[in-house]
Amino acid sequence: MRSRRAGWLGAVVLGWGTGLAAGQEPPPGGDAAPATPPPIAWAASVDAARADPRPLAVYYSTTACPVAPLFEKETLESPQVRAKAAAFRWARISAETDRARWAEWRLGWGPGIVVVGPAGEHIHRFDGYRTPDACVAELDEAA
């Protein structure tokens, strides 16, 4: 009887020895979850964002657009887009609050992104909902 208990107890103790002790960090490259990229850092305005030399990604939408909240939540907040976001400065505009720029740039109802260069030239633009991977592909074209 003793040998069975000792064998069972030894297997349990050996099994515990292969796992991580409480509070122990996994080894580098181990089972640690990948770091989540930081959220997009939104500038206070398009004009404030122009002080940075990176291309300016201007997200536009209207409050009446039913797709805009979905695009913001599923695409702009996705890890794929957040990882790409550091290559750009970011600003938001709305048809309701920035009518002059909206008219000057001839924007649709959105959602969409216009990428603007340092001289104010439009480098790239896309209108309408995009999946995270499709949005990254669009941003790659603009970079």
Side-chain angles (χ1 to χ4, degrees), residues 98-132:
D98 200 344
R99 291 178 185 261
R101 188 167 278 125
W102 198 275
E104 175 190 345
W105 289 357
R106 296 184 179 141
L107 300 176
W109 287 100
I113 294 177
V114 175
V115 179
V116 181
E121 74 281 13
H122 289 200
I123 298 171
H124 189 72
R125 173 181 168 168
F126 66 89
D127 302 300
Y129 179 87
R130 298 289 193 278
T131 64

Side-chain angles (χ1 to χ4, degrees), residues 43-48 50 56 58-63 91-108 116:
S45 69
V46 170
D47 295 329
R50 289 188 183 205
L56 171 61
V58 180
Y59 167 65
Y60 63 90
S61 67
T62 66
T63 56
R92 301 175 196 244
I93 63 171
S94 164
E96 294 85 6
T97 60
D98 200 344
R99 291 178 185 261
R101 188 167 278 125
W102 198 275
E104 175 190 345
W105 289 357
R106 296 184 179 141
L107 300 176
V116 181

Side-chain angles (χ1 to χ4, degrees), residues 67-88:
V67 179
L70 186 67
F71 180 71
E72 291 173 20
K73 182 173 176 61
E74 292 184 359
T75 301
L76 295 181
E77 293 180 13
S78 71
Q80 302 96 304
V81 173
R82 288 168 62 167
K84 185 70 180 172
F88 299 88

Side-chain angles (χ1 to χ4, degrees), residues 11-51:
V12 170
V13 170
L14 286 175
W16 282 342
T18 61
L20 295 175
Q24 185 179 358
E25 293 294 321
D31 294 333
T36 303
I40 293 174
W42 297 98
S45 69
V46 170
D47 295 329
R50 289 188 183 205

